[in-house]
Coordinates of all heavy atoms in Angstrom, one line a residue:
Y112 N 90.2 133.5 81.0 CA 89.1 132.8 81.6 C 89.3 131.3 81.4 O 89.4 130.8 80.3 CB 87.8 133.2 80.9 CG 87.4 134.6 81.1 CD1 87.8 135.6 80.1 CD2 86.6 135.0 82.1 CE1 87.4 136.9 80.3 CE2 86.3 136.3 82.3 CZ 86.7 137.3 81.4 OH 86.3 138.6 81.6
D113 N 89.4 130.6 82.5 CA 89.6 129.1 82.5 C 88.3 128.4 82.8 O 87.6 128.8 83.7 CB 90.7 128.7 83.5 CG 92.1 129.2 83.2 OD1 92.4 129.2 82.0 OD2 92.8 129.6 84.1
L114 N 88.0 127.4 82.0 CA 86.7 126.7 82.2 C 86.7 125.9 83.5 O 87.7 125.1 83.8 CB 86.5 125.7 81.0 CG 85.2 125.0 80.9 CD1 84.1 126.0 80.7 CD2 85.2 124.0 79.8
I115 N 85.7 126.0 84.2 CA 85.5 125.2 85.4 C 84.6 124.0 85.1 O 85.0 122.8 85.4 CB 84.9 126.0 86.6 CG1 85.8 127.1 87.1 CG2 84.5 125.1 87.8 CD1 85.2 128.0 88.1
S116 N 83.5 124.2 84.5 CA 82.6 123.1 84.1 C 81.8 123.5 82.8 O 81.6 124.7 82.6 CB 81.7 122.7 85.2 OG 80.7 123.7 85.4
G117 N 81.5 122.5 82.0 CA 80.7 122.8 80.8 C 81.5 122.6 79.5 O 81.1 123.2 78.5
E118 N 82.5 121.7 79.5 CA 83.3 121.6 78.3 C 82.5 121.0 77.2 O 82.6 121.3 76.0 CB 84.5 120.7 78.6 CG 85.4 120.5 77.4 CD 86.7 119.8 77.6 OE1 86.9 119.4 78.8 OE2 87.5 119.6 76.7
R119 N 81.5 120.1 77.5 CA 80.7 119.5 76.5 C 79.8 120.5 75.8 O 79.6 120.5 74.6 CB 79.9 118.3 77.1 CG 79.0 117.5 76.1 CD 78.5 116.2 76.8 NE 77.5 115.6 76.0 CZ 76.2 115.7 76.2 NH1 75.8 116.5 77.1 NH2 75.4 115.0 75.4
R120 N 79.2 121.4 76.7 CA 78.4 122.5 76.1 C 79.2 123.4 75.3 O 78.8 124.0 74.3 CB 77.7 123.2 77.3 CG 76.5 122.5 77.8 CD 76.1 123.1 79.2 NE 76.9 122.6 80.2 CZ 77.1 123.2 81.4 NH1 76.4 124.3 81.6 NH2 77.9 122.7 82.3
L121 N 80.5 123.7 75.7 CA 81.4 124.6 75.0 C 81.7 124.0 73.6 O 81.6 124.7 72.6 CB 82.7 124.8 75.8 CG 83.7 125.8 75.1 CD1 83.1 127.2 75.1 CD2 85.0 125.7 75.9
R122 N 82.0 122.7 73.5 CA 82.3 122.1 72.2 C 81.0 122.1 71.3 O 81.1 122.4 70.1 CB 82.7 120.7 72.4 CG 84.0 120.5 73.1 CD 84.5 119.0 73.1 NE 85.7 118.8 73.9 CZ 86.4 117.7 73.9 NH1 86.0 116.7 73.1 NH2 87.4 117.5 74.6
A123 N 79.9 121.8 71.9 CA 78.6 121.8 71.1 C 78.3 123.2 70.6 O 77.9 123.4 69.5 CB 77.5 121.3 72.0
A124 N 78.5 124.2 71.4 CA 78.3 125.6 71.0 C 79.2 126.0 69.9 O 78.8 126.7 68.9 CB 78.5 126.6 72.2
R125 N 80.5 125.6 69.9 CA 81.4 125.9 68.8 C 81.0 125.2 67.6 O 81.0 125.8 66.5 CB 82.8 125.5 69.3 CG 83.9 125.9 68.3 CD 85.3 125.6 68.8 NE 85.7 126.6 69.8 CZ 86.0 126.3 71.0 NH1 85.8 125.1 71.5 NH2 86.4 127.2 71.9
S126 N 80.5 123.9 67.7 CA 80.1 123.1 66.5 C 78.8 123.7 65.9 O 78.6 123.6 64.7 CB 79.9 121.7 66.9 OG 81.0 121.1 67.3
A127 N 78.0 124.3 66.8 CA 76.7 124.9 66.3 C 76.9 126.3 65.7 O 76.0 126.9 65.2 CB 75.7 125.0 67.5
G128 N 78.1 126.8 65.8 CA 78.4 128.1 65.2 C 78.2 129.3 66.1 O 78.2 130.4 65.6
L129 N 78.0 129.0 67.4 CA 77.8 130.2 68.3 C 79.1 130.9 68.5 O 80.2 130.3 68.4 CB 77.2 129.7 69.7 CG 75.7 129.5 69.8 CD1 75.2 128.5 68.8 CD2 75.4 129.1 71.2
T130 N 79.0 132.2 68.8 CA 80.3 132.9 69.0 C 80.4 133.3 70.5 O 81.5 133.6 71.0 CB 80.3 134.2 68.2 OG1 79.1 135.0 68.4 CG2 80.4 133.9 66.7
T131 N 79.2 133.3 71.2 CA 79.2 133.6 72.7 C 78.4 132.6 73.4 O 77.5 131.9 72.8 CB 78.7 135.0 73.0 OG1 77.3 135.0 72.6 CG2 79.4 136.1 72.2
V132 N 78.7 132.4 74.7 CA 77.9 131.5 75.5 C 77.7 132.2 76.9 O 78.5 133.0 77.3 CB 78.7 130.2 75.8 CG1 78.7 129.3 74.5 CG2 80.1 130.4 76.3
P133 N 76.6 131.8 77.6 CA 76.3 132.3 78.9 C 77.3 131.7 79.9 O 77.5 130.4 79.8 CB 74.9 132.0 79.2 CG 74.6 130.8 78.3 CD 75.5 130.9 77.1
V134 N 77.8 132.4 80.8 CA 78.8 131.9 81.8 C 78.5 132.5 83.2 O 78.0 133.6 83.3 CB 80.2 132.2 81.4 CG1 80.6 131.5 80.1 CG2 80.5 133.7 81.3
K135 N 78.9 131.7 84.2 CA 79.0 132.2 85.5 C 80.5 132.4 85.8 O 81.3 131.5 85.5 CB 78.5 131.2 86.6 CG 77.0 130.9 86.4 CD 76.5 129.9 87.5 CE 77.1 128.5 87.2 NZ 76.6 127.5 88.2
V136 N 80.8 133.6 86.2 CA 82.2 134.0 86.4 C 82.6 134.0 87.8 O 82.0 134.7 88.7 CB 82.5 135.4 85.8 CG1 84.0 135.7 85.9 CG2 82.1 135.4 84.3
F137 N 83.6 133.2 88.2 CA 84.2 133.2 89.5 C 85.6 133.8 89.4 O 86.2 133.7 88.4 CB 84.3 131.7 90.1 CG 83.0 131.0 90.3 CD1 82.4 130.4 89.2 CD2 82.4 131.0 91.5 CE1 81.2 129.8 89.4 CE2 81.2 130.3 91.7 CZ 80.6 129.7 90.6
S138 N 86.1 134.3 90.5 CA 87.5 134.8 90.5 C 88.0 134.7 91.9 O 87.3 134.5 92.9 CB 87.5 136.3 90.0 OG 86.8 137.1 90.9
G139 N 89.4 134.9 92.0 CA 90.0 134.9 93.3 C 90.2 133.5 93.9 O 90.5 133.4 95.1
L140 N 90.1 132.4 93.1 CA 90.3 131.1 93.6 C 91.7 130.5 93.3 O 92.3 130.9 92.3 CB 89.2 130.2 93.0 CG 87.8 130.6 93.0 CD1 86.9 129.5 92.4 CD2 87.3 130.9 94.4
T141 N 92.1 129.6 94.2 CA 93.4 129.0 93.9 C 93.1 127.8 92.9 O 92.0 127.4 92.7 CB 94.0 128.4 95.2 OG1 93.1 127.3 95.7 CG2 94.1 129.4 96.3
E142 N 94.2 127.3 92.3 CA 94.1 126.2 91.4 C 93.4 125.0 92.1 O 92.6 124.3 91.5 CB 95.4 125.8 90.8 CG 95.4 124.5 90.0 CD 94.5 124.6 88.8 OE1 94.3 125.8 88.3 OE2 94.0 123.6 88.3
R143 N 93.8 124.7 93.3 CA 93.2 123.6 94.1 C 91.7 123.8 94.2 O 90.9 122.9 94.1 CB 93.9 123.5 95.4 CG 93.3 122.5 96.4 CD 94.1 122.4 97.6 NE 93.3 121.8 98.7 CZ 93.8 121.7 99.9 NH1 95.1 122.0 100.2 NH2 93.1 121.2 100.9
Q144 N 91.3 125.1 94.5 CA 89.9 125.4 94.7 C 89.1 125.2 93.4 O 88.0 124.7 93.4 CB 89.7 126.8 95.3 CG 90.2 126.9 96.7 CD 90.3 128.3 97.2 OE1 90.5 129.2 96.4 NE2 90.3 128.5 98.5
V145 N 89.7 125.7 92.3 CA 89.1 125.6 91.0 C 88.9 124.1 90.7 O 87.8 123.7 90.2 CB 89.9 126.3 89.9 CG1 89.4 125.9 88.5 CG2 89.9 127.8 90.1
Q146 N 89.9 123.3 90.9 CA 89.8 121.9 90.6 C 88.7 121.2 91.4 O 87.9 120.4 90.9 CB 91.1 121.2 91.0 CG 91.2 119.7 90.8 CD 92.5 119.0 91.2 OE1 93.4 119.7 91.5 NE2 92.5 117.7 91.2
Q147 N 88.5 121.6 92.7 CA 87.5 121.0 93.5 C 86.1 121.4 93.0 O 85.2 120.7 92.9 CB 87.7 121.3 95.0 CG 86.8 120.5 95.9 CD 87.0 120.8 97.3 OE1 87.4 121.9 97.7 NE2 86.7 119.8 98.2
L148 N 86.0 122.7 92.8 CA 84.7 123.2 92.3 C 84.3 122.6 91.0 O 83.1 122.3 90.8 CB 84.8 124.8 92.2 CG 83.5 125.5 91.8 CD1 82.4 125.2 92.8 CD2 83.8 127.0 91.7
S149 N 85.3 122.4 90.1 CA 85.0 121.8 88.8 C 84.5 120.3 89.0 O 83.5 119.9 88.4 CB 86.3 121.7 88.0 OG 86.1 121.0 86.8
A150 N 85.1 119.6 90.0 CA 84.7 118.2 90.2 C 83.3 118.2 90.8 O 82.5 117.4 90.4 CB 85.7 117.6 91.2
V151 N 83.0 119.1 91.8 CA 81.7 119.1 92.4 C 80.6 119.4 91.4 O 79.6 118.8 91.3 CB 81.7 120.2 93.5 CG1 80.3 120.4 94.0 CG2 82.6 119.7 94.7
E152 N 80.8 120.4 90.5 CA 79.8 120.8 89.5 C 79.6 119.6 88.5 O 78.5 119.3 88.2 CB 80.2 122.0 88.8 CG 80.1 123.3 89.6 CD 79.7 124.5 88.7 OE1 79.7 124.4 87.5 OE2 79.6 125.6 89.3
N153 N 80.7 118.9 88.1 CA 80.5 117.8 87.2 C 79.8 116.6 87.8 O 79.1 115.9 87.2 CB 81.8 117.4 86.6 CG 82.2 118.3 85.4 OD1 81.8 118.1 84.3 ND2 83.1 119.3 85.7
L154 N 80.0 116.4 89.1 CA 79.4 115.3 89.8 C 77.9 115.5 89.8 O 77.1 114.5 90.0 CB 79.9 115.2 91.3 CG 81.2 114.4 91.4 CD1 81.6 114.4 92.9 CD2 81.0 113.0 90.9
Q155 N 77.4 116.7 89.7 CA 75.9 117.0 89.7 C 75.3 116.6 88.4 O 74.0 116.5 88.4 CB 75.7 118.4 90.0 CG 76.1 118.8 91.5 CD 75.8 120.3 91.7 OE1 76.1 121.1 90.8 NE2 75.4 120.6 92.9
R156 N 76.0 116.2 87.4 CA 75.5 115.9 86.1 C 75.0 114.4 86.2 O 75.8 113.5 86.7 CB 76.5 116.1 85.0 CG 76.9 117.5 84.8 CD 77.7 117.7 83.6 NE 77.0 117.3 82.4 CZ 76.1 118.2 81.8 NH1 75.9 119.4 82.3 NH2 75.5 117.8 80.7
E157 N 73.9 114.1 85.6 CA 73.3 112.7 85.7 C 74.0 111.8 84.7 O 74.0 110.6 84.9 CB 71.8 112.7 85.4 CG 71.0 113.5 86.5 CD 69.5 113.4 86.1 OE1 69.2 112.9 85.1 OE2 68.7 113.9 86.9
D158 N 74.6 112.3 83.6 CA 75.2 111.4 82.6 C 76.7 111.3 82.7 O 77.4 110.9 81.8 CB 74.8 112.0 81.2 CG 75.3 113.4 81.0 OD1 75.7 114.0 82.0 OD2 75.3 113.9 79.9
L159 N 77.3 111.6 83.9 CA 78.7 111.4 84.1 C 79.0 109.9 84.1 O 78.3 109.1 84.8 CB 79.1 112.0 85.4 CG 80.6 112.3 85.6 CD1 81.0 113.4 84.6 CD2 80.8 112.8 87.1
N160 N 80.0 109.4 83.3 CA 80.3 108.0 83.3 C 81.1 107.6 84.5 O 81.6 108.4 85.2 CB 81.0 107.7 82.0 CG 82.4 108.2 82.0 OD1 83.3 107.8 82.7 ND2 82.7 109.2 81.0
P161 N 81.1 106.3 84.8 CA 81.7 105.8 86.1 C 83.2 106.1 86.2 O 83.7 106.4 87.3 CB 81.5 104.3 86.0 CG 80.4 104.0 85.1 CD 80.4 105.1 84.1
V162 N 83.9 106.2 85.1 CA 85.3 106.5 85.2 C 85.5 108.0 85.6 O 86.3 108.3 86.5 CB 86.1 106.3 83.8 CG1 87.5 106.6 83.9 CG2 85.9 104.8 83.4
D163 N 84.8 108.9 84.9 CA 84.9 110.3 85.2 C 84.4 110.6 86.6 O 84.8 111.5 87.3 CB 84.2 111.2 84.1 CG 85.0 111.2 82.8 OD1 86.2 110.8 82.8 OD2 84.4 111.6 81.8
E164 N 83.3 109.8 87.0 CA 82.8 110.0 88.3 C 83.8 109.7 89.4 O 84.0 110.4 90.3 CB 81.5 109.1 88.5 CG 80.9 109.2 89.9 CD 79.8 108.2 90.1 OE1 79.6 107.4 89.2 OE2 79.2 108.2 91.2
A165 N 84.5 108.5 89.2 CA 85.5 108.1 90.2 C 86.6 109.2 90.2 O 87.1 109.5 91.3 CB 86.0 106.7 89.8
D166 N 87.0 109.6 89.0 CA 88.1 110.7 89.0 C 87.7 111.9 89.7 O 88.5 112.5 90.4 CB 88.4 111.0 87.5 CG 89.5 110.1 86.9 OD1 90.4 109.7 87.7 OD2 89.5 109.9 85.7
A167 N 86.4 112.4 89.5 CA 85.9 113.6 90.1 C 85.9 113.4 91.6 O 86.3 114.4 92.4 CB 84.5 113.9 89.6
V168 N 85.4 112.3 92.1 CA 85.4 112.1 93.6 C 86.8 112.1 94.1 O 87.1 112.7 95.2 CB 84.7 110.7 93.9 CG1 84.9 110.4 95.4 CG2 83.2 110.8 93.6

Side-chain angles (χ1 to χ4, degrees):
Y112 297 93
D113 292 321
L114 186 66
I115 295 177
S116 68
E118 183 172 358
R119 185 166 169 263
R120 280 165 283 159
L121 182 65
R122 293 189 186 190
R125 185 175 284 115
S126 296
L129 274 60
T130 57
T131 63
V132 289
V134 296
K135 296 180 294 182
V136 182
F137 296 81
S138 61
L140 309 182
T141 66
E142 174 58 28
R143 173 176 160 181
Q144 291 167 337
V145 169
Q146 178 182 350
Q147 189 179 30
L148 183 57
S149 176
V151 170
E152 286 211 359
N153 275 280
L154 275 179
Q155 293 179 321
R156 299 188 61 84
E157 294 181 358
D158 56 349
L159 199 65
N160 69 66
V162 179
D163 289 345
E164 177 188 3
D166 270 330
V168 170

